[in-house]
Amino acid sequence: GAGVSQSPSNKVTEKGKDVELRCDPISGHTALYWYRQSLGQGLEFLIYFQGNSAPDKSGLPSDRFSAERTGGSVSTLTIQRTQQEDSAVYLCASSPQSQGFYEQYFGPGTRLTVT
Amino acid sequence: KQEVTQIPAALSVPEGENLVLNCSFTDSAIYNLQWFRQDPGKGLTSLLLIQSSQREQTSGRLNASLDKSSGRSTLYIAASQPGDSATYLCAVIDNAGNMLTFGGGTRLMVKP
């Protein structure tokens, strides 16, 4: 079946602009995660959605970052007033989280470059 | 706070060698541990998932072990091939949360 998809695959934006990154999880997966991979920082957790529960936003680096998940499926990560340090690969993952099975499946990522 | 470390950071071996990649974590209260492969410019591919109650998992030429009490996992790759060249990442899910905490990865090069 189809895996996790993300769009766009690459995004170049000017400092100060807002960007939106999209994630389509695997159908039927109730959990959705956003991570960021940057040079020198490795892979960092950003935010986690599980069903209709309030999201875990503990990994968001600043209030310029926000995310939403509509209808328990597609998610959008928004970065406002982008800064050069926001340049990174943003990865989305989903998980079935059924019967304690927590394996996460990752999308190909969106490479964000802030100039 | 959970910390995950991978040693070595980079490894170069000739084709055909068996090799071991190491992963250690500071808090043994984990739910599971996952090994991933990442090719340059690509996302992460899940290789093996070990639940905290398990000691090892095998898939083809890959075998991952978990010693939860000592905070260690190893990924054994048998008869390495040039196509195995990639970065290998281990990550844990703590009992307290649902996000993965990643190690820094081991960059593997298998030379023909």
Short mmCIF file of all heavy atoms in Angstrom, two decimals, chain B residues 40-102:
data_model
loop_
_atom_site.label_atom_id
_atom_site.label_comp_id
_atom_site.label_asym_id
_atom_site.label_seq_id
_atom_site.Cartn_x
_atom_site.Cartn_y
_atom_site.Cartn_z
N PRO B 40 21.42 8.73 1.41
CA PRO B 40 21.62 10.18 1.24
C PRO B 40 20.43 10.85 0.56
O PRO B 40 19.96 10.41 -0.49
CB PRO B 40 22.88 10.24 0.37
CG PRO B 40 23.62 9.00 0.68
CD PRO B 40 22.56 7.95 0.91
N GLY B 41 19.93 11.91 1.16
CA GLY B 41 18.83 12.67 0.58
C GLY B 41 17.48 11.98 0.65
O GLY B 41 16.52 12.44 0.03
N LYS B 42 17.41 10.91 1.41
CA LYS B 42 16.15 10.15 1.50
C LYS B 42 15.61 10.15 2.92
O LYS B 42 16.28 10.58 3.87
CB LYS B 42 16.39 8.68 1.06
CG LYS B 42 17.01 8.53 -0.30
CD LYS B 42 16.06 8.89 -1.40
CE LYS B 42 16.66 8.59 -2.77
NZ LYS B 42 15.76 9.00 -3.86
N GLY B 43 14.39 9.61 3.07
CA GLY B 43 13.81 9.46 4.40
C GLY B 43 14.37 8.23 5.10
O GLY B 43 15.36 7.65 4.67
N LEU B 44 13.70 7.83 6.17
CA LEU B 44 14.15 6.70 6.97
C LEU B 44 13.36 5.45 6.61
O LEU B 44 12.14 5.50 6.47
CB LEU B 44 13.93 6.99 8.46
CG LEU B 44 15.00 7.79 9.19
CD1 LEU B 44 15.12 9.20 8.63
CD2 LEU B 44 14.69 7.85 10.67
N THR B 45 14.09 4.34 6.49
CA THR B 45 13.47 3.05 6.26
C THR B 45 13.62 2.22 7.52
O THR B 45 14.74 2.01 7.99
CB THR B 45 14.13 2.32 5.08
OG1 THR B 45 14.00 3.12 3.90
CG2 THR B 45 13.48 0.96 4.85
N SER B 46 12.51 1.73 8.07
CA SER B 46 12.57 0.91 9.26
C SER B 46 13.16 -0.46 8.92
O SER B 46 12.74 -1.10 7.97
CB SER B 46 11.17 0.74 9.85
OG SER B 46 11.21 -0.06 11.01
N LEU B 47 14.14 -0.88 9.72
CA LEU B 47 14.77 -2.18 9.50
C LEU B 47 14.24 -3.23 10.48
O LEU B 47 13.83 -4.31 10.08
CB LEU B 47 16.29 -2.05 9.66
CG LEU B 47 17.01 -1.14 8.67
CD1 LEU B 47 18.47 -1.00 9.06
CD2 LEU B 47 16.87 -1.67 7.25
N LEU B 48 14.29 -2.90 11.76
CA LEU B 48 13.89 -3.84 12.79
C LEU B 48 13.33 -3.08 13.98
O LEU B 48 13.79 -1.99 14.31
CB LEU B 48 15.11 -4.67 13.28
CG LEU B 48 15.68 -5.69 12.28
CD1 LEU B 48 17.06 -6.12 12.70
CD2 LEU B 48 14.75 -6.90 12.18
N LEU B 49 12.32 -3.67 14.60
CA LEU B 49 11.73 -3.13 15.82
C LEU B 49 11.85 -4.19 16.90
O LEU B 49 11.45 -5.34 16.67
CB LEU B 49 10.26 -2.77 15.59
CG LEU B 49 9.45 -2.38 16.81
CD1 LEU B 49 9.80 -0.98 17.25
CD2 LEU B 49 7.96 -2.50 16.55
N ILE B 50 12.41 -3.82 18.05
CA ILE B 50 12.50 -4.76 19.17
C ILE B 50 11.66 -4.22 20.31
O ILE B 50 11.91 -3.12 20.80
CB ILE B 50 13.95 -4.94 19.65
CG1 ILE B 50 14.90 -5.22 18.50
CG2 ILE B 50 14.02 -6.07 20.68
CD1 ILE B 50 16.35 -5.34 18.94
N GLN B 51 10.67 -4.99 20.73
CA GLN B 51 9.89 -4.61 21.91
C GLN B 51 10.75 -4.79 23.15
O GLN B 51 11.68 -5.59 23.15
CB GLN B 51 8.63 -5.49 22.02
CG GLN B 51 7.73 -5.46 20.80
CD GLN B 51 6.88 -4.22 20.71
OE1 GLN B 51 6.99 -3.31 21.55
NE2 GLN B 51 6.03 -4.14 19.70
N SER B 52 10.43 -4.07 24.21
CA SER B 52 11.27 -4.09 25.41
C SER B 52 11.35 -5.48 26.04
O SER B 52 12.32 -5.79 26.74
CB SER B 52 10.77 -3.08 26.44
OG SER B 52 9.46 -3.44 26.85
N SER B 53 10.35 -6.32 25.79
CA SER B 53 10.34 -7.66 26.37
C SER B 53 11.14 -8.66 25.54
O SER B 53 11.32 -9.82 25.94
CB SER B 53 8.90 -8.16 26.51
OG SER B 53 8.28 -8.16 25.24
N GLN B 54 11.60 -8.22 24.36
CA GLN B 54 12.32 -9.12 23.46
C GLN B 54 13.82 -8.93 23.61
O GLN B 54 14.30 -7.89 24.07
CB GLN B 54 11.91 -8.84 22.00
CG GLN B 54 10.44 -9.11 21.74
CD GLN B 54 10.02 -8.70 20.34
OE1 GLN B 54 10.45 -7.68 19.81
NE2 GLN B 54 9.16 -9.51 19.72
N ARG B 55 14.58 -9.94 23.18
CA ARG B 55 16.05 -9.86 23.25
C ARG B 55 16.67 -9.62 21.87
O ARG B 55 17.75 -9.07 21.79
CB ARG B 55 16.62 -11.15 23.84
CG ARG B 55 16.19 -11.42 25.28
CD ARG B 55 16.65 -10.28 26.19
NE ARG B 55 18.08 -10.15 26.23
CZ ARG B 55 18.86 -10.72 27.14
NH1 ARG B 55 18.33 -11.49 28.05
NH2 ARG B 55 20.16 -10.52 27.13
N GLU B 56 15.99 -10.08 20.82
CA GLU B 56 16.53 -9.87 19.50
C GLU B 56 15.47 -10.02 18.43
O GLU B 56 14.39 -10.59 18.66
CB GLU B 56 17.69 -10.84 19.21
CG GLU B 56 17.32 -12.30 19.15
CD GLU B 56 18.52 -13.16 18.83
OE1 GLU B 56 19.50 -12.66 18.22
OE2 GLU B 56 18.50 -14.35 19.14
N GLN B 57 15.81 -9.48 17.25
CA GLN B 57 14.95 -9.61 16.07
C GLN B 57 15.88 -9.83 14.88
O GLN B 57 16.98 -9.28 14.82
CB GLN B 57 14.12 -8.35 15.84
CG GLN B 57 12.92 -8.18 16.73
CD GLN B 57 11.78 -9.11 16.36
OE1 GLN B 57 11.65 -9.52 15.22
NE2 GLN B 57 10.97 -9.46 17.34
N THR B 58 15.39 -10.61 13.92
CA THR B 58 16.19 -10.93 12.74
C THR B 58 15.38 -10.67 11.49
O THR B 58 14.18 -10.94 11.44
CB THR B 58 16.64 -12.40 12.76
OG1 THR B 58 17.46 -12.62 13.92
CG2 THR B 58 17.42 -12.76 11.52
N SER B 59 16.09 -10.14 10.47
CA SER B 59 15.49 -9.97 9.16
C SER B 59 16.59 -10.14 8.12
O SER B 59 17.47 -9.29 7.98
CB SER B 59 14.85 -8.57 9.03
OG SER B 59 14.36 -8.36 7.72
N GLY B 60 16.54 -11.28 7.43
CA GLY B 60 17.56 -11.54 6.43
C GLY B 60 18.95 -11.56 7.02
O GLY B 60 19.24 -12.30 7.97
N ARG B 61 19.84 -10.70 6.49
CA ARG B 61 21.22 -10.65 6.99
C ARG B 61 21.37 -9.75 8.21
O ARG B 61 22.50 -9.55 8.70
CB ARG B 61 22.13 -10.14 5.86
CG ARG B 61 22.23 -11.09 4.67
CD ARG B 61 23.20 -10.56 3.59
NE ARG B 61 22.71 -9.35 2.97
CZ ARG B 61 23.22 -8.13 3.19
NH1 ARG B 61 24.24 -7.96 4.03
NH2 ARG B 61 22.73 -7.08 2.56
N LEU B 62 20.28 -9.20 8.70
CA LEU B 62 20.32 -8.29 9.84
C LEU B 62 19.83 -8.98 11.10
O LEU B 62 18.84 -9.71 11.07
CB LEU B 62 19.45 -7.06 9.58
CG LEU B 62 19.72 -6.25 8.32
CD1 LEU B 62 18.74 -5.08 8.24
CD2 LEU B 62 21.15 -5.76 8.28
N ASN B 63 20.54 -8.72 12.20
CA ASN B 63 20.11 -9.20 13.50
C ASN B 63 20.34 -8.09 14.51
O ASN B 63 21.45 -7.55 14.62
CB ASN B 63 20.91 -10.45 13.91
CG ASN B 63 20.56 -10.91 15.31
OD1 ASN B 63 21.10 -10.40 16.30
ND2 ASN B 63 19.66 -11.86 15.43
N ALA B 64 19.28 -7.72 15.21
CA ALA B 64 19.40 -6.69 16.24
C ALA B 64 19.16 -7.32 17.60
O ALA B 64 18.21 -8.10 17.77
CB ALA B 64 18.41 -5.56 15.99
N SER B 65 19.99 -6.98 18.56
CA SER B 65 19.82 -7.47 19.92
C SER B 65 19.54 -6.31 20.85
O SER B 65 19.90 -5.16 20.55
CB SER B 65 21.08 -8.21 20.37
OG SER B 65 22.15 -7.31 20.50
N LEU B 66 18.91 -6.61 21.96
CA LEU B 66 18.60 -5.58 22.95
C LEU B 66 18.91 -6.11 24.34
O LEU B 66 18.44 -7.19 24.73
CB LEU B 66 17.11 -5.20 22.88
CG LEU B 66 16.61 -4.25 23.96
CD1 LEU B 66 17.29 -2.89 23.84
CD2 LEU B 66 15.09 -4.09 23.88
N ASP B 67 19.74 -5.36 25.08
CA ASP B 67 19.99 -5.63 26.49
C ASP B 67 19.50 -4.40 27.24
O ASP B 67 20.23 -3.42 27.42
CB ASP B 67 21.47 -5.87 26.75
CG ASP B 67 21.75 -6.25 28.19
OD1 ASP B 67 20.89 -6.00 29.05
OD2 ASP B 67 22.84 -6.78 28.47
N LYS B 68 18.23 -4.46 27.63
CA LYS B 68 17.59 -3.28 28.20
C LYS B 68 18.24 -2.86 29.51
O LYS B 68 18.44 -1.67 29.76
CB LYS B 68 16.11 -3.61 28.42
CG LYS B 68 15.24 -2.47 28.84
CD LYS B 68 13.80 -2.93 28.97
CE LYS B 68 13.00 -1.95 29.77
NZ LYS B 68 11.61 -2.41 30.00
N SER B 69 18.62 -3.82 30.34
CA SER B 69 19.15 -3.48 31.67
C SER B 69 20.47 -2.72 31.58
O SER B 69 20.76 -1.87 32.41
CB SER B 69 19.32 -4.74 32.51
OG SER B 69 20.22 -5.63 31.87
N SER B 70 21.27 -3.04 30.55
CA SER B 70 22.55 -2.34 30.40
C SER B 70 22.45 -1.17 29.44
O SER B 70 23.44 -0.46 29.21
CB SER B 70 23.63 -3.31 29.92
OG SER B 70 23.37 -3.72 28.60
N GLY B 71 21.28 -0.97 28.85
CA GLY B 71 21.08 0.16 27.95
C GLY B 71 21.83 0.04 26.65
O GLY B 71 22.41 1.02 26.17
N ARG B 72 21.82 -1.17 26.05
CA ARG B 72 22.58 -1.36 24.82
C ARG B 72 21.79 -2.14 23.79
O ARG B 72 21.01 -3.03 24.12
CB ARG B 72 23.88 -2.13 25.11
CG ARG B 72 24.88 -1.41 25.97
CD ARG B 72 26.02 -2.36 26.32
NE ARG B 72 26.88 -1.78 27.34
CZ ARG B 72 28.01 -1.12 27.08
NH1 ARG B 72 28.42 -0.99 25.84
NH2 ARG B 72 28.72 -0.61 28.06
N SER B 73 22.07 -1.81 22.53
CA SER B 73 21.57 -2.59 21.41
C SER B 73 22.67 -2.68 20.37
O SER B 73 23.49 -1.77 20.24
CB SER B 73 20.32 -1.95 20.80
OG SER B 73 19.89 -2.66 19.65
N THR B 74 22.69 -3.80 19.66
CA THR B 74 23.63 -3.94 18.56
C THR B 74 22.88 -4.35 17.31
O THR B 74 21.87 -5.07 17.37
CB THR B 74 24.72 -4.99 18.84
OG1 THR B 74 24.10 -6.25 19.07
CG2 THR B 74 25.55 -4.61 20.06
N LEU B 75 23.37 -3.88 16.18
CA LEU B 75 22.86 -4.30 14.87
C LEU B 75 23.99 -5.03 14.18
O LEU B 75 25.05 -4.46 13.92
CB LEU B 75 22.41 -3.10 14.04
CG LEU B 75 21.88 -3.46 12.63
CD1 LEU B 75 20.57 -4.24 12.74
CD2 LEU B 75 21.66 -2.20 11.80
N TYR B 76 23.75 -6.31 13.91
CA TYR B 76 24.74 -7.17 13.26
C TYR B 76 24.34 -7.30 11.80
O TYR B 76 23.19 -7.65 11.49
CB TYR B 76 24.76 -8.53 13.96
CG TYR B 76 25.65 -9.57 13.33
CD1 TYR B 76 27.02 -9.60 13.61
CD2 TYR B 76 25.13 -10.54 12.48
CE1 TYR B 76 27.83 -10.56 13.04
CE2 TYR B 76 25.94 -11.51 11.92
CZ TYR B 76 27.29 -11.51 12.20
OH TYR B 76 28.10 -12.48 11.65
N ILE B 77 25.30 -7.00 10.91
CA ILE B 77 25.07 -7.16 9.47
C ILE B 77 26.02 -8.24 8.98
O ILE B 77 27.26 -8.11 9.08
CB ILE B 77 25.31 -5.85 8.70
CG1 ILE B 77 24.41 -4.74 9.24
CG2 ILE B 77 25.05 -6.07 7.20
CD1 ILE B 77 24.63 -3.38 8.59
N ALA B 78 25.47 -9.31 8.45
CA ALA B 78 26.28 -10.42 7.96
C ALA B 78 26.61 -10.24 6.48
O ALA B 78 25.78 -9.73 5.71
CB ALA B 78 25.54 -11.74 8.16
N ALA B 79 27.81 -10.66 6.10
CA ALA B 79 28.22 -10.68 4.69
C ALA B 79 27.86 -9.36 4.00
O ALA B 79 27.07 -9.33 3.06
CB ALA B 79 27.56 -11.87 3.98
N SER B 80 28.46 -8.28 4.47
CA SER B 80 28.09 -6.94 4.00
C SER B 80 28.28 -6.80 2.48
O SER B 80 29.16 -7.43 1.87
CB SER B 80 28.90 -5.89 4.73
OG SER B 80 30.29 -6.11 4.57
N GLN B 81 27.43 -5.96 1.89
CA GLN B 81 27.44 -5.70 0.45
C GLN B 81 27.52 -4.20 0.20
O GLN B 81 27.09 -3.41 1.05
CB GLN B 81 26.16 -6.25 -0.18
CG GLN B 81 25.93 -7.73 0.06
CD GLN B 81 24.55 -8.18 -0.39
OE1 GLN B 81 23.72 -7.37 -0.82
NE2 GLN B 81 24.29 -9.48 -0.28
N PRO B 82 28.02 -3.78 -0.95
CA PRO B 82 28.07 -2.33 -1.24
C PRO B 82 26.71 -1.65 -1.11
O PRO B 82 26.63 -0.50 -0.71
CB PRO B 82 28.59 -2.30 -2.69
CG PRO B 82 29.44 -3.52 -2.81
CD PRO B 82 28.74 -4.57 -1.98
N GLY B 83 25.64 -2.38 -1.41
CA GLY B 83 24.29 -1.83 -1.28
C GLY B 83 23.88 -1.56 0.16
O GLY B 83 22.87 -0.89 0.40
N ASP B 84 24.66 -2.06 1.12
CA ASP B 84 24.39 -1.77 2.54
C ASP B 84 24.90 -0.40 2.94
O ASP B 84 24.62 0.07 4.05
CB ASP B 84 25.03 -2.83 3.43
CG ASP B 84 24.45 -4.22 3.24
OD1 ASP B 84 23.27 -4.32 2.87
OD2 ASP B 84 25.20 -5.20 3.43
N SER B 85 25.66 0.26 2.08
CA SER B 85 26.21 1.57 2.40
C SER B 85 25.08 2.57 2.62
O SER B 85 24.23 2.77 1.75
CB SER B 85 27.12 2.06 1.27
OG SER B 85 28.22 1.19 1.09
N ALA B 86 25.07 3.16 3.79
CA ALA B 86 24.00 4.08 4.21
C ALA B 86 24.33 4.54 5.63
O ALA B 86 25.32 4.11 6.22
CB ALA B 86 22.64 3.39 4.19
N THR B 87 23.47 5.41 6.16
CA THR B 87 23.56 5.77 7.58
C THR B 87 22.53 4.94 8.35
O THR B 87 21.37 4.85 7.94
CB THR B 87 23.31 7.27 7.78
OG1 THR B 87 24.34 8.00 7.15
CG2 THR B 87 23.30 7.61 9.27
N TYR B 88 22.96 4.35 9.44
CA TYR B 88 22.11 3.52 10.27
C TYR B 88 21.82 4.26 11.58
O TYR B 88 22.74 4.71 12.26
CB TYR B 88 22.75 2.16 10.53
CG TYR B 88 22.81 1.32 9.27
CD1 TYR B 88 23.80 1.54 8.32
CD2 TYR B 88 21.84 0.37 9.00
CE1 TYR B 88 23.84 0.81 7.14
CE2 TYR B 88 21.86 -0.37 7.82
CZ TYR B 88 22.87 -0.13 6.89
OH TYR B 88 22.89 -0.86 5.71
N LEU B 89 20.55 4.37 11.89
CA LEU B 89 20.11 5.12 13.07
C LEU B 89 19.36 4.19 14.02
O LEU B 89 18.54 3.38 13.58
CB LEU B 89 19.17 6.25 12.66
CG LEU B 89 19.81 7.37 11.82
CD1 LEU B 89 18.80 7.98 10.89
CD2 LEU B 89 20.38 8.43 12.73
N CYS B 90 19.65 4.32 15.30
CA CYS B 90 18.80 3.64 16.28
C CYS B 90 18.00 4.69 17.04
O CYS B 90 18.43 5.84 17.17
CB CYS B 90 19.60 2.75 17.22
SG CYS B 90 20.51 3.61 18.51
N ALA B 91 16.84 4.29 17.50
CA ALA B 91 15.96 5.22 18.20
C ALA B 91 15.13 4.44 19.21
O ALA B 91 14.79 3.28 18.99
CB ALA B 91 15.03 5.94 17.22
N VAL B 92 14.81 5.08 20.33
CA VAL B 92 14.02 4.43 21.37
C VAL B 92 12.75 5.24 21.64
O VAL B 92 12.71 6.46 21.45
CB VAL B 92 14.81 4.27 22.68
CG1 VAL B 92 16.05 3.42 22.46
CG2 VAL B 92 15.18 5.61 23.29
N ILE B 93 11.73 4.51 22.06
CA ILE B 93 10.52 5.14 22.59
C ILE B 93 10.52 4.86 24.08
O ILE B 93 10.60 3.71 24.51
CB ILE B 93 9.25 4.57 21.95
CG1 ILE B 93 9.10 5.08 20.53
CG2 ILE B 93 8.02 4.97 22.76
CD1 ILE B 93 7.83 4.65 19.85
N ASP B 94 10.45 5.93 24.87
CA ASP B 94 10.39 5.79 26.31
C ASP B 94 9.00 5.38 26.75
O ASP B 94 8.01 5.68 26.09
CB ASP B 94 10.74 7.11 27.00
CG ASP B 94 12.17 7.52 26.78
OD1 ASP B 94 12.99 6.63 26.48
OD2 ASP B 94 12.47 8.72 26.88
N ASN B 95 8.93 4.73 27.89
CA ASN B 95 7.62 4.41 28.45
C ASN B 95 6.82 5.67 28.73
O ASN B 95 5.61 5.67 28.74
CB ASN B 95 7.78 3.60 29.75
CG ASN B 95 8.25 2.19 29.45
OD1 ASN B 95 8.04 1.69 28.36
ND2 ASN B 95 8.87 1.56 30.41
N ALA B 96 7.53 6.78 28.96
CA ALA B 96 6.87 8.01 29.35
C ALA B 96 6.29 8.78 28.17
O ALA B 96 5.48 9.66 28.35
CB ALA B 96 7.83 8.91 30.11
N GLY B 97 6.69 8.48 26.99
CA GLY B 97 6.25 9.27 25.85
C GLY B 97 6.11 8.41 24.61
O GLY B 97 6.32 7.21 24.65
N ASN B 98 5.76 9.02 23.52
CA ASN B 98 5.57 8.27 22.30
C ASN B 98 6.50 8.68 21.18
O ASN B 98 6.47 8.10 20.12
CB ASN B 98 4.12 8.43 21.83
CG ASN B 98 3.17 7.81 22.82
OD1 ASN B 98 3.07 6.60 22.90
ND2 ASN B 98 2.49 8.64 23.58
N MET B 99 7.32 9.70 21.40
CA MET B 99 8.22 10.13 20.35
C MET B 99 9.49 9.30 20.39
O MET B 99 9.87 8.75 21.43
CB MET B 99 8.55 11.61 20.52
CG MET B 99 9.46 11.95 21.67
SD MET B 99 8.64 11.75 23.28
CE MET B 99 7.55 13.16 23.22
N LEU B 100 10.13 9.20 19.25
CA LEU B 100 11.41 8.52 19.15
C LEU B 100 12.54 9.48 19.53
O LEU B 100 12.52 10.64 19.12
CB LEU B 100 11.65 8.03 17.71
CG LEU B 100 10.83 6.83 17.25
CD1 LEU B 100 10.91 6.69 15.73
CD2 LEU B 100 11.31 5.57 17.92
N THR B 101 13.49 8.98 20.31
CA THR B 101 14.72 9.70 20.58
C THR B 101 15.83 9.00 19.79
O THR B 101 16.06 7.80 19.99
CB THR B 101 15.06 9.71 22.07
OG1 THR B 101 14.00 10.32 22.79
CG2 THR B 101 16.35 10.50 22.32
N PHE B 102 16.48 9.74 18.93
CA PHE B 102 17.44 9.16 17.98
C PHE B 102 18.88 9.31 18.45
O PHE B 102 19.25 10.30 19.10
CB PHE B 102 17.32 9.85 16.62
CG PHE B 102 16.14 9.42 15.81
CD1 PHE B 102 14.91 10.02 15.98
CD2 PHE B 102 16.26 8.42 14.87
CE1 PHE B 102 13.81 9.63 15.23
CE2 PHE B 102 15.18 8.02 14.10
CZ PHE B 102 13.95 8.63 14.29
#
